[in-house]
Amino acid sequence: MIVATLFAAGPFVLAFTLVEAPRTDPSDDHRTNVRNVTEMLFAPGHVRDLLISLTLLALATSYAVWMYQDYWAKGAIALLHFSYLWAAYNVAVALSSHLRSTLNADSVS
């Protein structure tokens, strides 16, 4: 218990030393700021691709969690095994994500 407390104290103390990076507000006009953020989010590039990917991933996860559970239950798969199937799904996603990042690094260089 003492070791865990000491181990957790490090990040806790470190958190009090963090300082937010200085930044300047580009405009005092709220409408201009909203337009700038919207243009940045939907402009072609990595941010837009990330926004689309995260949206699709959230929808796919929601679909898998809520729809597959009933589908597997109707297929006589016990709820106990659902966690193993879900873990296998997440491993497949992690492996494909890792492979994608490797392929992307190879195509860039």
Side-chain angles (χ1 to χ4, degrees):
M1 180 80 167
I2 293 173
V3 173
T5 303
L6 292 175
F7 188 71
F12 182 73
V13 172
L14 180 67
F16 287 105
T17 65
L18 297 176
V19 178
E20 186 174 347
R23 63 185 177 98
T24 58
D25 290 330
S27 171
D28 290 332
D29 182 26
H30 183 67
R31 183 172 297 168
T32 305
N33 289 336
V34 169
R35 184 175 44 240
N36 290 339
V37 169
T38 304
E39 287 173 359
M40 182 193 70
L41 286 176
F42 295 107
H46 292 299
V47 176
R48 185 188 66 179
D49 295 344
L50 182 63
L51 180 68
I52 292 169
S53 296
L54 290 176
T55 302
L56 293 176
L57 180 62
L59 291 172
T61 301
S62 178
Y63 176 77
V65 168
W66 297 110
M67 302 300 273
Y68 281 153
Q69 184 173 0
D70 188 45
Y71 177 73
W72 288 333
K74 288 180 182 177
I77 297 174
L79 189 58
L80 171 72
H81 297 114
F82 175 73
S83 59
Y84 297 117
L85 290 170
W86 187 245
Y89 172 76
N90 283 324
V91 167
V93 168
L95 290 175
S96 63
S97 175
H98 178 71
L99 178 63
R100 174 64 184 125
S101 121
T102 304
L103 289 174
N104 192 26
D106 290 342
S107 66
V108 170
S109 59

